[in-house]
Amino acid sequence: MKEIYSSLSKKGITLIELIVVILILTIGISAMLGLLGETVRRVNVAEEIAIATFYAQEKMEEIKSKGFDEVDELEGEETLGEGYVRTTSVEFAYLQDDSWITTEEATDYKLIRVSVSKEGSATQDVFLVTVISNY
């Protein structure tokens, strides 16, 4: 009798237990793969924003090195490497209350906007804005 009891207590894994383990592992691995895909997408978006910010800052440094009358030459659109497009606009402006208002008339201030976008990307454009004065 003891021999029968001992053989019953040493049984292996049943087919149902094996299927449950495989199912749990499948669900876990699927979740991990989905998370990995989202992580890769976010890393790519962050890289695009970092590159666009670099291009915008590069243009702002060039603008700050120019005089008040020279910045008008920098206005326009440039195609950069890797499908990036940088647009620079220079407008006369004046301060009204707490906001800068652009105008066609010459003033002692210029509002300069630099935007960088990547063609064919869903990433938002990067905008940098500054005001320079004729003092």
Side-chain angles (χ1 to χ4, degrees):
M1 186 78 167
K2 188 173 182 180
E3 193 174 307
I4 294 174
Y5 177 72
S6 121
S7 67
L8 288 176
S9 64
K10 294 182 179 179
K11 63 182 179 175
I13 299 174
T14 65
L15 184 60
I16 293 176
E17 291 172 332
L18 186 60
I19 291 173
V20 169
V21 167
I22 291 172
L23 183 64
I24 291 171
L25 287 175
T26 303
I27 291 170
I29 291 171
S30 297
M32 294 296 267
L33 288 176
L35 184 61
L36 180 64
E38 179 65 18
T39 301
V40 168
R41 187 191 68 76
R42 287 183 185 217
V43 166
N44 289 337
V45 167
E47 182 180 12
E48 288 178 3
I49 291 171
I51 292 170
T53 302
F54 169 77
Y55 285 139
Q57 288 174 338
E58 179 182 54
K59 191 64 166 186
M60 276 298 182
E61 291 299 321
E62 183 181 357
I63 288 166
K64 290 179 181 180
S65 71
K66 302 287 184 182
F68 186 78
D69 294 325
E70 298 171 321
V71 294
D72 293 333
E73 302 166 2
L74 301 175
E75 190 168 25
E77 187 173 287
E78 304 168 76
T79 301
L80 307 167
E82 304 171 11
Y84 289 91
V85 176
R86 177 170 55 198
T87 306
T88 305
S89 67
V90 180
E91 300 174 278
F92 286 107
Y94 62 92
L95 187 62
Q96 181 178 352
D97 299 324
D98 292 335
S99 301
W100 286 98
I101 308 298
T102 58
T103 181
E104 296 288 326
E105 299 175 22
T107 65
D108 287 330
Y109 301 99
K110 289 184 180 176
L111 181 73
I112 303 170
R113 294 183 182 101
V114 176
S115 69
V116 179
S117 61
K118 184 169 184 184
E119 295 174 344
S121 175
T123 307
Q124 293 182 354
D125 296 353
V126 171
F127 292 96
L128 295 180
V129 180
T130 191
V131 175
I132 61 171
S133 66
N134 193 19
Y135 294 115

